[in-house]
Amino acid sequence: QKEVEQNSGPLSVPEGAIASLNCTYSDRGSQSFFWYRQYSGKSPELIMFIYSNGDKEDGRFTAQLNKASQYVSLLIRDSQPSDSATYLCAAPEGNTGNQFYFGTGTSLTVIP
Amino acid sequence: EPEVTQTPSHQVTQMGQEVILRCVPISNHLYFYWYRQILGQKVEFLVSFYNNEISEKSEIFDDQFSVERPDGSNFTLKIRSTKLEDSAMYFCASTSLGGPQETQYFGPGTRLLVL
């Protein structure tokens, strides 16, 4: 069974701090990895994706990928209360990429 | 900005009834997907669809489920005889090229409640 694992949290950080979210995956064939944000009762909203080892930065967000360790992370700098949500890690199936495996999500609360 | 739309936003039905959930993918996208999310659980893949046929389906997508693209814009998920455990949020997603590096864009979802 191919899996994406996340620490479900909840994770609480004060406003302005760095939030660190982690994810591991089991399908070595997965080539790219996606971070989605999901507010309660809403659909997943793409934050960013990464497919090369190393870091990728987009504004306050940095994704990190280590394929050897099968590990993906998301850092949120200068966390804001509006960042409070559940963050989903997703990896496409390694052969066709037609289905995404989602983690259970990490619930983040940014405390003003 | 183009987006995936879904109707209805909420659907309440009796067990054993048929429901059809509708999606309008982003207009130039070619790959379409249905996912479901039971309350408090992870998003689960149901089916992918390309070139008017199913390309992949999960174990969840059994004979009571079917998908169709009846015209050039709509993409539907039919549940023939609903069960209590079908109560969930159903998300449609689409992507332009498919494959492991393509972002899937999600619609707002249909919340299905089976009584």
Side-chain angles (χ1 to χ4, degrees):
Chain A
Q1 178 75 7
K2 295 171 182 175
E3 296 280 349
V4 172
E5 303 275 354
Q6 292 182 256
N7 184 342
S8 62
L11 174 65
S12 294
V13 300
E15 185 175 354
I18 295 175
S20 177
L21 307 164
N22 304 314
C23 171
T24 59
Y25 61 94
S26 63
D27 187 349
R28 284 199 171 273
S30 295
Q31 298 178 36
S32 53
F33 304 88
F34 298 79
W35 283 100
Y36 286 84
R37 177 173 61 199
Q38 187 177 33
Y39 294 110
S40 182
K42 303 295 185 182
S43 63
E45 171 194 8
L46 180 72
I47 297 175
M48 63 189 303
F49 65 90
I50 185 168
Y51 54 82
S52 297
N53 272 329
D55 295 359
K56 179 182 178 183
E57 189 173 314
D58 184 0
R60 297 187 294 112
F61 299 95
T62 299
Q64 299 173 316
L65 173 60
N66 184 323
K67 290 186 178 180
S69 301
Q70 295 177 247
Y71 175 87
V72 194
S73 67
L74 180 70
L75 299 178
I76 307 174
R77 287 182 301 281
D78 188 24
S79 296
Q80 301 297 307
S82 58
D83 295 327
S84 298
T86 297
Y87 288 80
L88 309 178
C89 175
E93 188 272 339
N95 290 324
T96 64
N98 280 332
Q99 60 169 295
F100 275 24
Y101 298 109
F102 280 85
T104 52
T106 298
S107 174
L108 172 67
T109 300
V110 180
I111 303 165
Chain B
E1 186 175 321
E3 55 186 25
V4 177
T5 60
Q6 290 184 243
T7 54
S9 58
H10 294 77
Q11 173 103 41
V12 180
T13 190
Q14 296 289 325
M15 189 171 57
Q17 296 296 303
E18 174 183 286
V19 295
I20 298 176
L21 310 183
R22 292 183 168 79
C23 168
V24 178
I26 295 173
S27 63
N28 63 343
H29 283 187
L30 302 175
Y31 292 79
F32 316 117
Y33 311 84
W34 283 102
Y35 291 84
R36 80 171 185 192
Q37 187 176 31
I38 296 170
L39 187 64
Q41 298 186 24
K42 65 171 69 174
V43 176
E44 300 175 290
F45 170 78
L46 293 178
V47 65
S48 61
F49 191 87
Y50 170 71
N51 199 25
N52 286 319
E53 60 183 29
I54 290 173
S55 46
E56 279 186 62
K57 60 182 181 179
S58 72
E59 292 175 354
I60 302 168
F61 194 88
D62 61 22
D63 291 344
Q64 71 162 342
F65 291 93
S66 62
V67 289
E68 194 176 44
R69 188 159 162 82
D71 54 41
S73 59
N74 288 286
F75 177 51
T76 63
L77 174 69
K78 181 192 291 188
I79 309 175
R80 261 182 277 280
S81 178
T82 49
K83 303 172 190 165
L84 297 177
E85 54 264 37
D86 293 327
S87 296
M89 193 77 148
Y90 288 80
F91 295 111
C92 173
S94 71
T95 188
S96 56
L97 297 175
Q101 294 202 36
E102 294 301 315
T103 300
Q104 296 188 13
Y105 294 92
F106 284 75
T110 294
R111 184 174 297 281
L112 176 66
L113 177 60
V114 182
L115 302 177

